């Protein structure tokens, strides 16, 4: 069978760099040879014609022909009659550098390891949802919209924003119109946009304690002055925050299902937080974490729906409900802040993926998302129950949470949860230590464990395997 030859008609990635002086044939030869030896040009790659390369570099065609002949003579290229010149299939080996050479060797990156049962951030998509998404993606690839071929609105497609606004109104009590929705590449990007639009280095902010580590890293990395505010069974302690830093410019909260403790912000605390924000002229960054997964009781209304003065920035994502790989989330912002946020968005990644947006628009509009959530909620509830039953056989105080995709298995005060988390991972169980998530002195010790993305029997088996190691 004849081997299919690779061509390289677009040389934007492999363009030779010629020195300003010296014989052109030697300069071209050395540059092309360096690309071949360095692996940028691989065996079987077709070189451009001598006429094309001479025109591109403003040299004589004779110099280009001479350079190619030198490459062929030295075994780096081969000329094929009627087909052109190609990188040789067997390129001469370059003598390796001595061990003491300071030249660094390339590092081969490996794909991320598959998550362990118990790890956080695993999605809950099932085969039915994936099949529907394949159909929708194929449909839009087969008959692509014109908007896939040019730059688009940094806020995201209007059709998708209409569906997201309708969903948030019905399911979360969010008060918004499509023009207030900005599609993002997930919650983290939305949080980054909000921080850069609203705050400047040195500004004081409140952060739940314990907290979501990525939010903490973002706040500290952008030079904000972070004040940890303790979280108890009613959520963030607003009175403690006011006592510690009444002049804070913003607060980041996860009111529906606090990360990592899993508590829900009480109504009294919600009203107190909104009242403080109004009086202080501060903003509330509301991360509606895991709000779709409530297993008992009525759904909780978002803080945003209780705020009538534009003090709440609402953040959400489809990563947990669908697939993190889609990288689709959303912000709901007061109209007064919209243009500022969109300017920053425009200067970073321009606009969201139009192909993924169109597929998701139909998934929402045609009722597939609601059906998917019902199936997902049933699956993760079964996995939660199996995990809780298994963990109760060990030295943990654990209860089945009524919302969310993770739980906290608490340990006795002073226990080394960091060591236990390491032993859990070694046993194939993806637990995370609770104590490092505190900014101040840890008040609780335990393991933060996810229960989405794996069948009940897999979750239970992984937990019992870990417990057997402890025993």
């Amino acid at each position: 069978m004849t081997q299919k030859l690779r061509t390289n008609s677009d040389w934007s990635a492999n363009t030779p760099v010629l020195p300003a002086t010296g014989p052109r044939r030697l300069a071209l030869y050395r540059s092309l040879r360096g690309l071949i030896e360095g692996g940028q040009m691989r065996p079987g790659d077709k070189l451009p014609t001598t006429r094309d390369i001479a025109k591109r570099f403003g040299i004589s065609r004779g110099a280009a022909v001479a350079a190619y002949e030198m490459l062929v003579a030295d075994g780096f290229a081969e000329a094929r009659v009627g087909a052109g010149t190609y990188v040789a299939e067997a390129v001469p080996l370059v003598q390796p550098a001595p061990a003491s050479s300071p030249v660094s060797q390339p590092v081969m990156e490996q794909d991320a390891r598959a998550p362990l049962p118990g790890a956080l951030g695993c999605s809950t998509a099932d085969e039915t949802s994936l099949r529907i998404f394949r159909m929708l993606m194929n449909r839009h690839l087969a008959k692509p919209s014109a908007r896939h071929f040019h730059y688009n609105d940094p806020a995201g497609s209007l059709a998708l924003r209409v569906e997201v606004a309708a969903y948030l109104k019905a399911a979360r009590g969010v008060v918004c119109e499509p023009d207030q929705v900005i599609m993002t590449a997930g919650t983290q990007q939305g949080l980054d946009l909000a921080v850069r639009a609203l705050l400047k280095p040195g500004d004081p902010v409140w952060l739940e304690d314990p907290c979501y580590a990525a939010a903490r890293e973002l706040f500290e990395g952008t030079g904000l002055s972070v004040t940890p505010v303790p979280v108890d069974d009613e959520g963030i302690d607003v009175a403690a925050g006011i006592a510690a830093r009444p002049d804070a410019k913003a607060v980041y909260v996860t009111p529906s299902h606090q990360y990592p403790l899993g508590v829900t912000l009480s109504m009294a605390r919600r009203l107190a937080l909104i009242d403080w924000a109004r009086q202080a002229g501060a903003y509330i960054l509301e991360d509606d974490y895991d709000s779709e997964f409530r297993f008992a009781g009525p759904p909780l209304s978002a803080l945003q729906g209780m705020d009538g003065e534009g003090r709440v920035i609402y953040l959400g994502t489809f990563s947990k409900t669908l697939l993190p790989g889609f990288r689709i989330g959303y912000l709901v912002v007061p109209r007064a802040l919209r243009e500022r946020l969109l300017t920053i968005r425009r200067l970073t990644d321009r606009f969201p993926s139009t192909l993924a947006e169109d597929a998701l628009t139909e998934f929402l509009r045609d009722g597939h998302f609601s059906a998917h959530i019902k199936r997902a909620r049933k699956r993760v509830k079964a996995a939660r129950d199996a995990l809780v039953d298994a963990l109760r056989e060990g030295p943990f105080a654990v209860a089945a949470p009524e919302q969310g995709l993770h739980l906290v298995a608490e340990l006795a005060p002073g226990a080394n949860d960091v060591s236990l988390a390491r032993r859990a991972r070694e046993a194939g169980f993806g637990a995370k230590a609770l104590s490092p998530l505190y900014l101040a002195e840890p008040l609780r010790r335990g393991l933060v464990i996810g229960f989405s993305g794996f069948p009940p029997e897999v979750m239970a088996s992984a937990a019992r395997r870990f417990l057997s190691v402890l025993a």
Side-chain angles (χ1 to χ4, degrees):
M1 181 182 294
T2 303
Q3 183 180 5
K4 186 177 180 181
L5 300 176
R6 294 187 297 271
T7 61
N8 195 9
S9 57
D10 180 4
W11 272 52
S12 58
N14 297 329
T15 302
V17 178
L18 305 187
T21 60
R24 298 294 83 188
R25 62 184 179 82
L26 287 175
L28 181 59
Y29 163 77
R30 289 169 180 160
S31 182
L32 290 172
R33 175 175 169 171
L35 290 173
I36 295 170
E37 291 177 330
Q40 291 96 323
M41 296 176 61
R42 297 172 297 164
D45 280 351
K46 185 177 182 180
L47 278 67
T49 66
T50 53
R51 187 186 305 276
D52 177 67
I53 206 165
K55 181 179 179 181
R56 175 174 296 216
F57 292 102
I59 63 177
S60 69
R61 189 180 178 196
V65 171
Y68 277 30
E69 289 175 345
M70 292 171 67
L71 289 170
V72 172
D74 289 346
F76 290 96
E78 55 187 43
R80 301 176 187 177
V81 178
T85 304
Y86 294 80
V87 176
E89 293 294 337
V91 175
L93 294 176
V94 180
Q95 192 69 22
S100 60
S101 171
V103 178
S104 61
Q105 298 298 317
V107 177
M108 299 300 292
E109 294 185 2
Q110 297 181 346
D111 290 339
R113 295 180 180 179
L116 299 172
L120 302 169
C122 298
S123 68
T124 59
D126 58 13
E127 184 51 42
T128 299
S129 298
L130 292 176
R131 175 179 52 79
I132 295 170
F133 257 110
R134 282 195 296 270
M135 176 191 69
L136 295 175
M137 294 287 278
N138 288 337
R139 178 189 303 170
H140 288 286
L141 281 171
K143 295 182 179 180
S145 165
R147 75 189 202 91
H148 300 323
F149 298 94
H150 59 83
Y151 287 90
N152 280 270
D153 190 335
S157 81
L158 176 59
L160 179 55
R161 289 185 283 123
V162 166
E163 297 302 326
V164 169
Y167 164 71
L168 293 177
K169 286 179 183 179
R172 305 297 305 121
V174 171
V175 179
C176 71
E177 298 302 326
D179 67 303
Q180 294 176 261
V181 177
I182 298 175
M183 304 308 301
T184 68
T187 298
Q188 192 66 21
Q189 186 192 40
L191 187 58
D192 178 64
L193 289 172
V195 166
R196 288 200 276 165
L198 302 175
L199 304 167
K200 61 182 184 298
D203 279 352
V205 294
W206 293 355
L207 193 58
E208 296 172 320
D209 194 27
C211 65
Y212 177 46
R216 174 184 180 179
E217 292 169 3
L218 173 62
F219 285 12
E220 293 177 343
T222 49
L224 301 177
S225 176
V226 175
T227 296
V229 181
V231 173
D232 58 24
D233 290 341
E234 291 188 65
I236 189 170
D237 189 339
V238 181
I242 294 173
R245 198 67 193 256
D247 60 338
K249 301 295 184 183
V251 55
Y252 170 79
V253 290
T254 50
S256 295
H257 183 239
Q258 198 273 338
Y259 182 84
L261 296 182
V263 299
T264 299
L265 188 62
S266 68
M267 182 56 67
R269 295 275 179 90
R270 289 170 185 250
L271 295 173
L273 189 63
I274 291 174
D275 186 59
W276 164 77
R278 289 171 179 169
Q279 293 185 32
Y283 286 98
I284 299 171
L285 305 177
E286 179 184 10
D287 184 351
D288 207 12
Y289 178 75
D290 286 354
S291 61
E292 294 86 358
F293 294 94
R294 185 161 178 82
F295 308 112
L300 302 169
S301 295
L303 279 172
Q304 194 272 354
M306 302 168 62
D307 166 42
E309 297 187 11
R311 308 314 308 179
V312 178
I313 312 295
Y314 183 88
L315 303 104
T317 182
F318 291 102
S319 291
K320 304 298 188 301
T321 51
L322 293 173
L323 292 174
F326 274 119
R327 304 312 305 141
I328 299 182
Y330 45 85
L331 282 173
V332 177
V333 302
R335 287 190 174 92
L337 300 175
R338 184 177 187 272
E339 288 306 313
R340 195 186 317 173
L341 283 156
L342 289 182
T343 297
I344 298 172
R345 176 66 188 275
R346 191 180 298 112
L347 295 174
T348 52
D349 68 340
R350 293 278 190 170
F351 60 94
S353 164
T354 56
L355 182 62
E357 280 191 330
D358 284 359
L360 181 56
T361 299
E362 292 192 51
F363 196 78
L364 288 165
R365 185 183 62 210
D366 296 344
H368 300 304
F369 183 70
S370 296
H372 164 78
I373 289 296
K374 290 178 182 177
R375 295 192 301 270
R377 193 180 290 130
K378 182 177 180 180
R379 287 197 310 277
V380 297
K381 183 177 183 295
R384 178 204 67 178
D385 293 343
L387 174 63
V388 169
D389 288 344
L391 290 174
R392 283 175 174 164
E393 300 172 12
F396 305 105
V398 58
E402 295 184 351
Q403 183 161 321
L405 299 175
H406 79 271
L407 57 79
V408 176
E410 291 204 49
L411 293 160
N416 191 337
D417 54 0
V418 174
S419 174
L420 280 179
R422 183 175 63 251
R423 295 177 68 184
R425 291 190 294 272
E426 291 171 351
F429 188 50
K432 187 181 184 74
L434 171 62
S435 62
L437 300 178
Y438 280 90
L439 286 82
E441 183 66 25
L443 299 179
R444 301 184 186 181
R445 308 276 178 171
L447 298 179
V448 184
I449 307 169
F451 48 79
S452 64
F454 293 91
E457 61 274 14
V458 174
M459 291 298 311
S461 175
R464 289 192 172 97
R465 185 167 59 248
F466 167 53
L467 294 179
S468 69
V469 171
L470 296 185

